[in-house]
Amino acid sequence: MDFTSAAPSVVKSIRQRDLLNTWLRLYAREQVAPAIWEYQPARLEEELSDLIYYTVDISAPTPRLTIQSEGTRISRAYGHTGKGVLLDDYIGPRLAPLVMPVYHECVARGLPVYSVADVDDIYGRIVAYERLLLPFQTDGNICHVIASLKTFCEDGGFEIKNLMRGNDALPRTRLRAVIDRDLFHRAPGRIAPAELVEFAERPVPGEIVELN
């Protein structure tokens, strides 16, 4: 499965960009994925319904991800909650070949992965399914992943219930990207430390300005 190389600007959702920026600030210290206990983005409670937490078992040849969240909004798209269930078992053999490589790439690279796919709801409306994966490590191994899952329909309302299981058409991938460029976050309107700032001199005729 091919992944493009991207900068953080590839993520369009404002809420997902906020989540990513918090991760980037932690990553920038040592250029490695942070520990999950350090990750405390603002307004996290407002996002919990769109977040899924996973633990990662890397002892097997292929990483195994176990769902640690339940009652999330996206569980309605799959028809049931899945706390304690392996991700590949939860999504089933039909979707696993499309979904699992995205998670495996996140774990293997230790970097955020962003994907967008089009899905048809039960009424045939096209829904954009945007997935942002953020990896977290302990002792140099990726042991947690947080997924932010957003759905958007240009036609307005759509039916999220059984969105991922309610029709025969598979999701149509629009984008798969590893965010591996410009891995820093600079707060808008501020000057980065150690950044050189030059002021051009604009002398005013007949006026002397003294700087004390």
Side-chain angles (χ1 to χ4, degrees), residues 132-196:
L132 173 66
L133 303 182
L134 300 173
F136 298 88
Q137 62 91 24
T138 300
D139 297 329
N141 295 316
I142 300 301
C143 53
H144 294 90
V145 170
I146 295 178
S148 170
L149 307 172
K150 298 291 185 182
T151 47
F152 171 77
C153 181
E154 292 184 357
D155 295 333
F158 63 93
E159 179 56 66
I160 193 171
K161 185 177 180 181
N162 291 326
L163 178 66
M164 304 302 291
R165 302 183 189 273
N167 57 71
D168 294 330
L170 289 169
R172 301 172 297 282
T173 300
R174 243 198 278 170
L175 173 69
R176 296 188 191 98
V178 177
I179 300 175
D180 58 2
R181 295 190 282 117
D182 301 335
L183 295 178
F184 60 87
H185 172 62
R186 180 178 299 176
R190 297 185 180 182
I191 300 172
E195 183 172 323
L196 181 62

Short mmCIF file of all heavy atoms in Angstrom, two decimals, residues 132-196:
data_model
loop_
_atom_site.label_atom_id
_atom_site.label_comp_id
_atom_site.label_asym_id
_atom_site.label_seq_id
_atom_site.Cartn_x
_atom_site.Cartn_y
_atom_site.Cartn_z
N LEU A 132 -7.07 10.38 11.49
CA LEU A 132 -5.74 10.82 11.91
C LEU A 132 -5.26 9.88 13.01
O LEU A 132 -5.92 9.73 14.05
CB LEU A 132 -5.79 12.26 12.44
CG LEU A 132 -4.49 12.78 13.07
CD1 LEU A 132 -3.39 12.90 12.02
CD2 LEU A 132 -4.73 14.12 13.77
N LEU A 133 -4.12 9.24 12.79
CA LEU A 133 -3.53 8.33 13.76
C LEU A 133 -2.29 8.96 14.39
O LEU A 133 -1.41 9.45 13.67
CB LEU A 133 -3.14 7.01 13.09
CG LEU A 133 -4.24 6.24 12.36
CD1 LEU A 133 -3.68 4.94 11.80
CD2 LEU A 133 -5.42 5.98 13.28
N LEU A 134 -2.23 8.93 15.72
CA LEU A 134 -1.11 9.50 16.45
C LEU A 134 -0.45 8.39 17.28
O LEU A 134 -1.13 7.73 18.09
CB LEU A 134 -1.58 10.62 17.38
CG LEU A 134 -2.26 11.81 16.70
CD1 LEU A 134 -2.83 12.75 17.75
CD2 LEU A 134 -1.28 12.55 15.80
N PRO A 135 0.86 8.14 17.10
CA PRO A 135 1.55 7.08 17.84
C PRO A 135 2.18 7.60 19.14
O PRO A 135 2.56 8.76 19.24
CB PRO A 135 2.63 6.65 16.86
CG PRO A 135 3.00 7.94 16.15
CD PRO A 135 1.72 8.75 16.06
N PHE A 136 2.31 6.70 20.11
CA PHE A 136 2.92 7.03 21.40
C PHE A 136 3.82 5.88 21.81
O PHE A 136 3.50 4.71 21.57
CB PHE A 136 1.84 7.29 22.45
CG PHE A 136 0.96 8.45 22.11
CD1 PHE A 136 -0.18 8.27 21.33
CD2 PHE A 136 1.27 9.73 22.53
CE1 PHE A 136 -0.98 9.34 20.98
CE2 PHE A 136 0.47 10.81 22.19
CZ PHE A 136 -0.66 10.62 21.42
N GLN A 137 4.96 6.22 22.44
CA GLN A 137 5.95 5.19 22.73
C GLN A 137 6.31 5.15 24.21
O GLN A 137 6.13 6.11 24.96
CB GLN A 137 7.22 5.44 21.90
CG GLN A 137 7.92 6.77 22.17
CD GLN A 137 8.98 6.69 23.25
OE1 GLN A 137 9.53 5.62 23.51
NE2 GLN A 137 9.28 7.83 23.87
N THR A 138 6.84 3.99 24.59
CA THR A 138 7.45 3.78 25.89
C THR A 138 8.71 2.97 25.68
O THR A 138 8.68 1.94 25.01
CB THR A 138 6.51 3.03 26.85
OG1 THR A 138 5.31 3.80 27.04
CG2 THR A 138 7.16 2.83 28.21
N ASP A 139 9.83 3.47 26.21
CA ASP A 139 11.12 2.78 26.07
C ASP A 139 11.45 2.48 24.62
O ASP A 139 12.00 1.42 24.28
CB ASP A 139 11.13 1.48 26.87
CG ASP A 139 10.96 1.73 28.37
OD1 ASP A 139 11.42 2.79 28.84
OD2 ASP A 139 10.37 0.88 29.05
N GLY A 140 11.11 3.42 23.73
CA GLY A 140 11.48 3.29 22.33
C GLY A 140 10.55 2.45 21.48
O GLY A 140 10.78 2.31 20.28
N ASN A 141 9.49 1.90 22.05
CA ASN A 141 8.55 1.08 21.30
C ASN A 141 7.18 1.74 21.27
O ASN A 141 6.70 2.27 22.28
CB ASN A 141 8.41 -0.31 21.94
CG ASN A 141 9.69 -1.10 21.89
OD1 ASN A 141 10.37 -1.13 20.86
ND2 ASN A 141 10.03 -1.74 23.00
N ILE A 142 6.56 1.72 20.09
CA ILE A 142 5.21 2.26 19.97
C ILE A 142 4.25 1.30 20.66
O ILE A 142 4.11 0.14 20.26
CB ILE A 142 4.80 2.45 18.49
CG1 ILE A 142 5.77 3.41 17.80
CG2 ILE A 142 3.37 2.97 18.40
CD1 ILE A 142 5.84 4.80 18.42
N CYS A 143 3.59 1.78 21.72
CA CYS A 143 2.72 0.90 22.50
C CYS A 143 1.29 1.42 22.59
O CYS A 143 0.42 0.72 23.13
CB CYS A 143 3.29 0.68 23.89
SG CYS A 143 3.66 2.20 24.78
N HIS A 144 1.03 2.62 22.08
CA HIS A 144 -0.33 3.16 22.03
C HIS A 144 -0.53 3.92 20.74
O HIS A 144 0.41 4.51 20.19
CB HIS A 144 -0.61 4.11 23.20
CG HIS A 144 -0.61 3.46 24.54
ND1 HIS A 144 0.54 3.35 25.31
CD2 HIS A 144 -1.61 2.88 25.26
CE1 HIS A 144 0.24 2.74 26.45
NE2 HIS A 144 -1.05 2.44 26.43
N VAL A 145 -1.75 3.92 20.26
CA VAL A 145 -2.16 4.75 19.12
C VAL A 145 -3.50 5.38 19.48
O VAL A 145 -4.37 4.72 20.05
CB VAL A 145 -2.29 3.92 17.82
CG1 VAL A 145 -2.96 4.74 16.72
CG2 VAL A 145 -0.93 3.43 17.35
N ILE A 146 -3.63 6.66 19.17
CA ILE A 146 -4.92 7.33 19.29
C ILE A 146 -5.40 7.67 17.88
O ILE A 146 -4.65 8.24 17.08
CB ILE A 146 -4.83 8.62 20.13
CG1 ILE A 146 -4.47 8.29 21.58
CG2 ILE A 146 -6.16 9.38 20.09
CD1 ILE A 146 -4.32 9.52 22.46
N ALA A 147 -6.64 7.32 17.58
CA ALA A 147 -7.24 7.62 16.29
C ALA A 147 -8.31 8.69 16.47
O ALA A 147 -9.19 8.55 17.32
CB ALA A 147 -7.85 6.37 15.67
N SER A 148 -8.21 9.75 15.68
CA SER A 148 -9.27 10.75 15.59
C SER A 148 -10.02 10.50 14.29
O SER A 148 -9.43 10.52 13.21
CB SER A 148 -8.68 12.17 15.61
OG SER A 148 -9.68 13.12 15.29
N LEU A 149 -11.33 10.25 14.39
CA LEU A 149 -12.13 9.87 13.23
C LEU A 149 -13.22 10.90 13.00
O LEU A 149 -14.05 11.15 13.88
CB LEU A 149 -12.73 8.49 13.45
CG LEU A 149 -11.72 7.38 13.82
CD1 LEU A 149 -12.44 6.11 14.21
CD2 LEU A 149 -10.75 7.13 12.68
N LYS A 150 -13.21 11.53 11.83
CA LYS A 150 -14.19 12.56 11.50
C LYS A 150 -14.96 12.15 10.25
O LYS A 150 -14.39 11.55 9.32
CB LYS A 150 -13.50 13.91 11.25
CG LYS A 150 -12.75 14.48 12.44
CD LYS A 150 -13.69 14.91 13.53
CE LYS A 150 -12.94 15.58 14.67
NZ LYS A 150 -13.85 15.97 15.77
N THR A 151 -16.23 12.49 10.22
CA THR A 151 -17.06 12.23 9.04
C THR A 151 -17.68 13.53 8.57
O THR A 151 -18.10 14.37 9.38
CB THR A 151 -18.17 11.21 9.37
OG1 THR A 151 -18.81 11.58 10.59
CG2 THR A 151 -17.59 9.81 9.51
N PHE A 152 -17.73 13.70 7.25
CA PHE A 152 -18.23 14.95 6.68
C PHE A 152 -18.94 14.66 5.37
O PHE A 152 -18.47 13.85 4.55
CB PHE A 152 -17.06 15.91 6.43
CG PHE A 152 -17.43 17.13 5.65
CD1 PHE A 152 -18.12 18.17 6.24
CD2 PHE A 152 -17.11 17.22 4.30
CE1 PHE A 152 -18.48 19.30 5.50
CE2 PHE A 152 -17.45 18.34 3.55
CZ PHE A 152 -18.15 19.38 4.16
N CYS A 153 -20.07 15.30 5.17
CA CYS A 153 -20.84 15.12 3.93
C CYS A 153 -21.12 16.49 3.34
O CYS A 153 -21.69 17.36 4.01
CB CYS A 153 -22.14 14.37 4.21
SG CYS A 153 -23.15 14.09 2.74
N GLU A 154 -20.73 16.71 2.09
CA GLU A 154 -20.94 18.00 1.44
C GLU A 154 -22.43 18.29 1.25
O GLU A 154 -22.83 19.45 1.15
CB GLU A 154 -20.23 18.03 0.09
CG GLU A 154 -18.72 18.02 0.21
CD GLU A 154 -18.04 18.15 -1.14
OE1 GLU A 154 -18.78 18.19 -2.16
OE2 GLU A 154 -16.80 18.23 -1.18
N ASP A 155 -23.25 17.25 1.22
CA ASP A 155 -24.69 17.44 1.06
C ASP A 155 -25.39 17.80 2.37
O ASP A 155 -26.61 18.00 2.40
CB ASP A 155 -25.33 16.17 0.50
CG ASP A 155 -24.84 15.86 -0.91
OD1 ASP A 155 -24.46 16.81 -1.60
OD2 ASP A 155 -24.83 14.68 -1.29
N GLY A 156 -24.62 17.87 3.44
CA GLY A 156 -25.20 18.19 4.74
C GLY A 156 -25.35 16.96 5.60
O GLY A 156 -24.38 16.27 5.90
N GLY A 157 -26.58 16.65 6.01
CA GLY A 157 -26.82 15.53 6.89
C GLY A 157 -26.58 14.18 6.23
O GLY A 157 -26.67 14.04 5.01
N PHE A 158 -26.28 13.18 7.06
CA PHE A 158 -26.10 11.82 6.56
C PHE A 158 -26.39 10.87 7.71
O PHE A 158 -26.49 11.27 8.88
CB PHE A 158 -24.68 11.60 6.02
CG PHE A 158 -23.61 11.74 7.07
CD1 PHE A 158 -23.13 10.64 7.76
CD2 PHE A 158 -23.07 12.98 7.36
CE1 PHE A 158 -22.15 10.76 8.74
CE2 PHE A 158 -22.09 13.12 8.33
CZ PHE A 158 -21.63 12.02 9.02
N GLU A 159 -26.53 9.61 7.40
CA GLU A 159 -26.84 8.59 8.40
C GLU A 159 -25.54 7.89 8.80
O GLU A 159 -24.93 7.19 7.97
CB GLU A 159 -27.83 7.58 7.84
CG GLU A 159 -28.18 6.45 8.81
CD GLU A 159 -28.70 6.97 10.14
OE1 GLU A 159 -29.80 7.58 10.15
OE2 GLU A 159 -27.98 6.78 11.16
N ILE A 160 -25.12 8.10 10.05
CA ILE A 160 -23.88 7.47 10.49
C ILE A 160 -24.09 6.03 10.95
O ILE A 160 -23.17 5.23 10.92
CB ILE A 160 -23.23 8.29 11.62
CG1 ILE A 160 -21.78 7.79 11.85
CG2 ILE A 160 -24.05 8.22 12.90
CD1 ILE A 160 -20.98 8.65 12.79
N LYS A 161 -25.32 5.67 11.31
CA LYS A 161 -25.56 4.32 11.79
C LYS A 161 -25.23 3.29 10.71
O LYS A 161 -25.70 3.39 9.58
CB LYS A 161 -27.03 4.16 12.22
CG LYS A 161 -27.34 2.81 12.84
CD LYS A 161 -28.79 2.74 13.30
CE LYS A 161 -29.09 1.39 13.92
NZ LYS A 161 -30.51 1.31 14.35
N ASN A 162 -24.36 2.35 11.09
CA ASN A 162 -23.91 1.29 10.17
C ASN A 162 -23.28 1.84 8.89
O ASN A 162 -23.34 1.21 7.84
CB ASN A 162 -25.08 0.37 9.80
CG ASN A 162 -25.54 -0.47 10.98
OD1 ASN A 162 -24.73 -0.88 11.82
ND2 ASN A 162 -26.83 -0.70 11.06
N LEU A 163 -22.65 3.02 9.01
CA LEU A 163 -22.04 3.63 7.83
C LEU A 163 -21.00 2.72 7.18
O LEU A 163 -20.91 2.64 5.96
CB LEU A 163 -21.38 4.97 8.23
CG LEU A 163 -20.63 5.72 7.13
CD1 LEU A 163 -21.61 6.20 6.06
CD2 LEU A 163 -19.88 6.93 7.73
N MET A 164 -20.23 2.01 8.02
CA MET A 164 -19.16 1.17 7.48
C MET A 164 -19.62 -0.23 7.13
O MET A 164 -18.86 -1.01 6.56
CB MET A 164 -18.01 1.08 8.50
CG MET A 164 -17.45 2.43 8.92
SD MET A 164 -16.84 3.42 7.53
CE MET A 164 -15.40 2.47 7.04
N ARG A 165 -20.88 -0.55 7.44
CA ARG A 165 -21.37 -1.91 7.18
C ARG A 165 -22.70 -1.93 6.45
O ARG A 165 -23.24 -3.00 6.18
CB ARG A 165 -21.53 -2.67 8.51
CG ARG A 165 -20.28 -2.79 9.34
CD ARG A 165 -20.55 -3.61 10.58
NE ARG A 165 -19.47 -3.60 11.54
CZ ARG A 165 -18.44 -4.44 11.52
NH1 ARG A 165 -18.34 -5.34 10.59
NH2 ARG A 165 -17.50 -4.37 12.45
N GLY A 166 -23.25 -0.77 6.13
CA GLY A 166 -24.61 -0.71 5.65
C GLY A 166 -24.80 -0.87 4.15
O GLY A 166 -25.92 -0.82 3.65
N ASN A 167 -23.72 -1.05 3.40
CA ASN A 167 -23.88 -1.24 1.96
C ASN A 167 -22.77 -2.14 1.43
O ASN A 167 -21.83 -2.48 2.15
CB ASN A 167 -23.86 0.11 1.24
CG ASN A 167 -22.61 0.89 1.53
OD1 ASN A 167 -21.53 0.54 1.06
ND2 ASN A 167 -22.71 1.97 2.31
N ASP A 168 -22.88 -2.49 0.19
CA ASP A 168 -21.93 -3.43 -0.40
C ASP A 168 -20.67 -2.76 -0.93
O ASP A 168 -19.67 -3.43 -1.19
CB ASP A 168 -22.60 -4.20 -1.55
CG ASP A 168 -23.72 -5.10 -1.06
OD1 ASP A 168 -23.63 -5.57 0.10
OD2 ASP A 168 -24.68 -5.32 -1.81
N ALA A 169 -20.71 -1.43 -1.10
CA ALA A 169 -19.56 -0.73 -1.67
C ALA A 169 -18.49 -0.52 -0.60
O ALA A 169 -18.78 -0.05 0.50
CB ALA A 169 -20.01 0.62 -2.23
N LEU A 170 -17.27 -0.87 -0.94
CA LEU A 170 -16.15 -0.64 -0.03
C LEU A 170 -15.76 0.83 -0.02
O LEU A 170 -16.02 1.57 -0.99
CB LEU A 170 -14.95 -1.48 -0.47
CG LEU A 170 -15.05 -2.99 -0.26
CD1 LEU A 170 -13.91 -3.70 -0.98
CD2 LEU A 170 -15.07 -3.33 1.22
N PRO A 171 -15.13 1.30 1.07
CA PRO A 171 -14.63 2.67 1.08
C PRO A 171 -13.66 2.91 -0.07
O PRO A 171 -12.87 2.03 -0.43
CB PRO A 171 -13.90 2.76 2.44
CG PRO A 171 -14.55 1.72 3.29
CD PRO A 171 -14.90 0.61 2.35
N ARG A 172 -13.72 4.11 -0.65
CA ARG A 172 -12.87 4.46 -1.78
C ARG A 172 -11.80 5.44 -1.29
O ARG A 172 -12.10 6.60 -0.96
CB ARG A 172 -13.72 5.06 -2.89
CG ARG A 172 -14.80 4.10 -3.38
CD ARG A 172 -15.77 4.74 -4.35
NE ARG A 172 -16.55 5.82 -3.77
CZ ARG A 172 -17.60 5.66 -2.97
NH1 ARG A 172 -17.98 4.43 -2.60
NH2 ARG A 172 -18.27 6.70 -2.51
N THR A 173 -10.57 4.97 -1.24
CA THR A 173 -9.48 5.77 -0.67
C THR A 173 -9.16 6.97 -1.54
O THR A 173 -8.98 6.85 -2.76
CB THR A 173 -8.22 4.91 -0.49
OG1 THR A 173 -8.52 3.82 0.39
CG2 THR A 173 -7.09 5.73 0.09
N ARG A 174 -9.12 8.14 -0.90
CA ARG A 174 -8.74 9.37 -1.57
C ARG A 174 -7.29 9.75 -1.27
O ARG A 174 -6.59 10.30 -2.11
CB ARG A 174 -9.65 10.50 -1.11
CG ARG A 174 -10.49 11.10 -2.23
CD ARG A 174 -11.01 12.44 -1.80
NE ARG A 174 -12.20 12.34 -0.99
CZ ARG A 174 -12.72 13.36 -0.33
NH1 ARG A 174 -12.15 14.54 -0.37
NH2 ARG A 174 -13.82 13.20 0.38
N LEU A 175 -6.86 9.45 -0.05
CA LEU A 175 -5.52 9.88 0.39
C LEU A 175 -5.03 8.98 1.51
O LEU A 175 -5.79 8.62 2.41
CB LEU A 175 -5.58 11.33 0.89
CG LEU A 175 -4.31 11.89 1.54
CD1 LEU A 175 -3.21 12.07 0.50
CD2 LEU A 175 -4.61 13.21 2.25
N ARG A 176 -3.74 8.61 1.43
CA ARG A 176 -3.03 7.97 2.53
C ARG A 176 -1.70 8.69 2.65
O ARG A 176 -0.91 8.68 1.70
CB ARG A 176 -2.79 6.48 2.29
CG ARG A 176 -4.03 5.62 2.21
CD ARG A 176 -3.64 4.15 2.17
NE ARG A 176 -4.78 3.30 1.84
CZ ARG A 176 -5.01 2.84 0.62
NH1 ARG A 176 -4.19 3.15 -0.37
NH2 ARG A 176 -6.05 2.07 0.39
N ALA A 177 -1.42 9.29 3.79
CA ALA A 177 -0.20 10.09 3.91
C ALA A 177 0.45 9.89 5.27
O ALA A 177 -0.22 9.82 6.30
CB ALA A 177 -0.53 11.57 3.73
N VAL A 178 1.78 9.78 5.25
CA VAL A 178 2.58 9.82 6.47
C VAL A 178 3.02 11.27 6.67
O VAL A 178 3.60 11.88 5.77
CB VAL A 178 3.81 8.90 6.37
CG1 VAL A 178 4.66 9.02 7.64
CG2 VAL A 178 3.39 7.46 6.16
N ILE A 179 2.74 11.81 7.83
CA ILE A 179 3.15 13.20 8.12
C ILE A 179 4.58 13.15 8.61
O ILE A 179 4.85 12.89 9.80
CB ILE A 179 2.19 13.84 9.13
CG1 ILE A 179 0.77 13.85 8.56
CG2 ILE A 179 2.64 15.25 9.49
CD1 ILE A 179 -0.28 14.35 9.52
N ASP A 180 5.52 13.36 7.69
CA ASP A 180 6.94 13.25 8.00
C ASP A 180 7.73 14.49 7.58
O ASP A 180 8.96 14.47 7.57
CB ASP A 180 7.53 12.01 7.34
CG ASP A 180 7.36 11.99 5.82
OD1 ASP A 180 6.81 12.97 5.27
OD2 ASP A 180 7.76 11.00 5.19
N ARG A 181 7.04 15.56 7.25
CA ARG A 181 7.71 16.81 6.88
C ARG A 181 7.21 17.96 7.77
O ARG A 181 6.08 17.95 8.23
CB ARG A 181 7.44 17.15 5.41
CG ARG A 181 8.05 16.14 4.45
CD ARG A 181 7.99 16.62 3.01
NE ARG A 181 6.66 16.44 2.43
CZ ARG A 181 5.88 17.43 2.01
NH1 ARG A 181 6.26 18.68 2.17
NH2 ARG A 181 4.70 17.18 1.47
N ASP A 182 8.11 18.92 8.01
CA ASP A 182 7.76 20.10 8.83
C ASP A 182 7.20 19.67 10.18
O ASP A 182 6.14 20.14 10.61
CB ASP A 182 6.75 20.99 8.11
CG ASP A 182 7.27 21.49 6.76
OD1 ASP A 182 8.49 21.56 6.60
OD2 ASP A 182 6.44 21.80 5.90
N LEU A 183 7.92 18.79 10.85
CA LEU A 183 7.43 18.25 12.11
C LEU A 183 7.75 19.18 13.28
O LEU A 183 8.55 18.89 14.16
CB LEU A 183 8.02 16.86 12.36
CG LEU A 183 7.60 15.80 11.34
CD1 LEU A 183 8.27 14.47 11.65
CD2 LEU A 183 6.08 15.64 11.34
N PHE A 184 7.13 20.33 13.26
CA PHE A 184 7.24 21.28 14.36
C PHE A 184 5.93 22.05 14.38
O PHE A 184 5.16 22.05 13.43
CB PHE A 184 8.42 22.24 14.15
CG PHE A 184 8.32 23.05 12.89
CD1 PHE A 184 7.65 24.27 12.88
CD2 PHE A 184 8.90 22.60 11.71
CE1 PHE A 184 7.55 25.02 11.71
CE2 PHE A 184 8.79 23.35 10.53
CZ PHE A 184 8.12 24.56 10.54
N HIS A 185 5.71 22.70 15.50
CA HIS A 185 4.51 23.55 15.60
C HIS A 185 4.94 24.88 16.17
O HIS A 185 5.54 24.96 17.23
CB HIS A 185 3.46 22.94 16.51
CG HIS A 185 2.32 23.88 16.80
ND1 HIS A 185 1.50 24.34 15.79
CD2 HIS A 185 1.88 24.46 17.94
CE1 HIS A 185 0.60 25.16 16.32
NE2 HIS A 185 0.82 25.25 17.61
N ARG A 186 4.64 25.94 15.43
CA ARG A 186 4.95 27.30 15.87
C ARG A 186 3.63 28.02 16.11
O ARG A 186 2.81 28.12 15.20
CB ARG A 186 5.77 28.04 14.82
CG ARG A 186 6.13 29.46 15.21
CD ARG A 186 6.98 30.10 14.13
NE ARG A 186 8.22 29.36 13.94
CZ ARG A 186 9.11 29.66 13.00
NH1 ARG A 186 8.88 30.67 12.16
NH2 ARG A 186 10.21 28.95 12.88
N ALA A 187 3.45 28.49 17.32
CA ALA A 187 2.22 29.21 17.64
C ALA A 187 2.11 30.45 16.76
O ALA A 187 3.08 31.17 16.58
CB ALA A 187 2.19 29.60 19.11
N PRO A 188 0.95 30.73 16.20
CA PRO A 188 0.79 31.88 15.32
C PRO A 188 1.04 33.18 16.07
O PRO A 188 0.66 33.34 17.22
CB PRO A 188 -0.67 31.78 14.85
CG PRO A 188 -1.35 30.96 15.89
CD PRO A 188 -0.31 30.00 16.38
N GLY A 189 1.72 34.12 15.39
CA GLY A 189 1.93 35.44 15.95
C GLY A 189 3.08 35.55 16.91
O GLY A 189 3.30 36.59 17.52
N ARG A 190 3.85 34.47 17.07
CA ARG A 190 4.99 34.51 17.97
C ARG A 190 6.28 34.28 17.21
O ARG A 190 6.30 33.70 16.14
CB ARG A 190 4.84 33.43 19.07
CG ARG A 190 3.62 33.68 19.95
CD ARG A 190 3.59 32.67 21.07
NE ARG A 190 2.43 32.89 21.93
CZ ARG A 190 2.17 32.18 23.02
NH1 ARG A 190 3.00 31.22 23.36
NH2 ARG A 190 1.11 32.45 23.75
N ILE A 191 7.38 34.71 17.81
CA ILE A 191 8.70 34.56 17.21
C ILE A 191 9.38 33.38 17.87
O ILE A 191 9.42 33.28 19.10
CB ILE A 191 9.55 35.83 17.40
CG1 ILE A 191 8.84 37.01 16.71
CG2 ILE A 191 10.94 35.63 16.85
CD1 ILE A 191 9.50 38.33 17.00
N ALA A 192 9.87 32.47 17.08
CA ALA A 192 10.52 31.28 17.62
C ALA A 192 11.80 31.68 18.34
O ALA A 192 12.48 32.63 17.96
CB ALA A 192 10.85 30.30 16.49
N PRO A 193 12.17 30.97 19.42
CA PRO A 193 13.42 31.27 20.13
C PRO A 193 14.61 31.20 19.20
O PRO A 193 14.69 30.36 18.31
CB PRO A 193 13.48 30.15 21.20
CG PRO A 193 12.07 29.70 21.35
CD PRO A 193 11.43 29.88 20.01
N ALA A 194 15.55 32.11 19.42
CA ALA A 194 16.80 32.18 18.66
C ALA A 194 16.60 32.59 17.21
O ALA A 194 17.49 32.48 16.40
CB ALA A 194 17.55 30.84 18.71
N GLU A 195 15.43 33.07 16.87
CA GLU A 195 15.19 33.52 15.51
C GLU A 195 15.67 34.96 15.37
O GLU A 195 15.37 35.82 16.20
CB GLU A 195 13.71 33.43 15.16
CG GLU A 195 13.42 33.83 13.72
CD GLU A 195 11.98 33.55 13.34
OE1 GLU A 195 11.44 32.54 13.80
OE2 GLU A 195 11.41 34.35 12.59
N LEU A 196 16.46 35.22 14.35
CA LEU A 196 17.03 36.55 14.14
C LEU A 196 15.98 37.47 13.53
O LEU A 196 15.34 37.14 12.54
CB LEU A 196 18.25 36.46 13.21
CG LEU A 196 18.96 37.78 12.90
CD1 LEU A 196 19.53 38.38 14.17
CD2 LEU A 196 20.05 37.55 11.87
#
